[in-house]
Amino acid sequence: MRRTVKEIKSLKDGELIELCGWIWNKREHGKLVFVDLRDGTGIIQVAARSGLTEEASVELLKSLNRESSVRIYGNLARDPRAPGGVEVRCVRAEVISPSMEDFPIRRGMGAKALYDHRHLHIRSPRMSALMRVRSNLIWAVHEFFRSREFVEVDCPTIITAAVEGGATLFEVNYLGRKAYLTQSVQFYQEAAIFGLEKVYSVQPSFRAELSRTPRHLTEFWHVEGEIAFCDLEGLMRTIEDLVRYVVLRTEELSRRELDFLRRRIRTEEVEGEFYRVKYSEALEVLRRAGRELEWGSDLGADEERVISSQFDRPLFITHYPKEAKAFYHKPDPSDPRVTLSTDLLAPRGNGEIVGAGVRADDYEQLQNRIEEVGLNPEDYRWYLDLRRYGSVPHAGFGMGIERVLKWILDLPHVRMASLFPRTPTRLYP
Ligand code: 4AD
Ligand code: MG
């Protein structure tokens, strides 16, 4: 019976085992061959030498290239000299399929070459560990929403009108008609709350962003949530609870991977209360850091970096001016120049990880906002309809999965958190 690397590490000394995997590394010392055998669960050293191992098997292991797939029969041996204190003493080795050539991924390769070979690079134990952390994070997201009785909804990806502004829309030819890839499923979620009240989804969003920053992808995974009868305060509490839960739970689920990656998730960053700063105060923070930003302008990546590097916990920036936010944001009744909106910035210069706000729920007001920003209300007819039949106050948010991973794992670029990242210059593989 085949065992995984993870399983055999807890078996008894001397036990006979069968193991399948790939040759990650190989070292020869005279008659001795050491193979680091990799499978989906880890790496283990396999030792082969004549006398112990069938002669043909020793020759086979010597001849095989890295990443050849093999089946090993042998005995488990606890040996303090072996990495991790265990190895497999090989009795017989069989090739499943050889690597036809020398494996193209090598130590010290540049980023471009690695992303050109992403389909092969993602086999590395490092990449596997990263993807496991990502998977744990998404699991934690589902746990959070489920525990709060949110209903998961699946929304369309092909749409007819912009959510987040026309500049970043990807156009698709929809059987001869013009359509777009979605930037956010928010509007569909807004429709869904009338039946379900609290909904969430985890889906890709698309942005034709030319900005080549370490935090922009053209396709990213978007956790979005929408809540009926919710105000700005309730919204921020939900986001804070979500982010705290997801970070702590991901850390808890990913101990093995984090050890392997030699990373520590700074859980202390989410344990305390998140900061809250109004947009106008954020401009003050900027000013004190020697940056002037005109009231009304949106905070760019650079401004967010400056602001968030001065905080040791996530911070909400609230009450953005109308002109800095999309049309669907509800103006603050006590100061209509600003909106009941908030972005959550991750500390240490990481910048925005969540975009959120209370929605304009009044029919006239929403229609006027659509016209004010130069859009055609006809394109938003069904969305406006939601305000014609029993509209209620509601609010929602979107959180980028790659952004959160970049923050908690201290990655230099969001693309590292994606199996096959899409950026302005990267569409293959
Ligand atoms: O702030 P954004 O644009 O908000 C929305 O799309 C809302 N409609 C969401 C909602 O309220 N339902 O995007 C939300 C989050 C950002 O905070 C960021 O984490 C992520 O999505 N994001 C990106 N991540 C990677 N690459 C990009 N190009 C991203 N654009 C947004
Ligand atoms: Mg945003």
Side-chain angles (χ1 to χ4, degrees), residues 1-62:
M1 186 183 77
R2 177 173 104 86
R3 306 280 202 156
T4 65
V5 168
K6 189 177 169 192
E7 281 165 6
I8 65 171
K9 285 192 173 166
S10 57
L11 293 182
K12 284 198 298 289
D13 201 45
E15 203 152 328
L16 187 67
I17 47 179
E18 176 190 339
L19 199 60
C20 291
W22 294 263
I23 298 178
W24 171 245
N25 244 322
K26 217 169 61 172
R27 296 173 298 283
E28 289 179 40
H29 300 283
K31 290 191 163 80
L32 208 66
V33 193
F34 288 115
V35 168
D36 293 329
L37 192 81
R38 172 182 82 62
D39 73 3
T41 66
I43 297 188
I44 195 159
Q45 176 167 290
V46 174
R49 66 174 160 80
S50 38
L52 174 86
T53 314
E54 288 177 5
E55 211 52 57
S57 297
V58 178
E59 291 314 310
L60 175 73
L61 289 177
K62 280 187 180 172

Side-chain angles (χ1 to χ4, degrees), residues 105 113-124 127 130-131 134 204-206 216-221 402 405 413-429:
I105 307 287
L114 285 177
Y115 283 99
D116 284 343
H117 291 92
R118 188 75 169 170
H119 53 300
L120 302 177
H121 184 212
I122 53 170
R123 301 177 177 201
S124 76
M127 285 308 306
L130 269 173
M131 289 307 133
R134 178 184 167 117
S205 281
F206 303 86
H216 284 95
L217 295 167
T218 49
E219 176 175 11
F220 67 95
W221 276 71
E402 295 82 4
L405 284 164
H413 197 295
V414 279
R415 67 184 172 179
M416 292 180 72
S418 173
L419 195 63
F420 287 98
R422 293 288 176 256
T423 67
T425 52
R426 173 67 58 195
L427 190 56
Y428 174 97

Side-chain angles (χ1 to χ4, degrees), residues 325 343 352 355:
K325 285 288 171 194
D343 279 3
E352 179 187 342

Side-chain angles (χ1 to χ4, degrees), residues 164 207 298 304 325 343 352 354-356 403:
E164 296 298 327
R207 306 277 169 109
D298 197 9
E304 287 183 359
K325 285 288 171 194
D343 279 3
E352 179 187 342
V354 177
R403 292 260 183 107

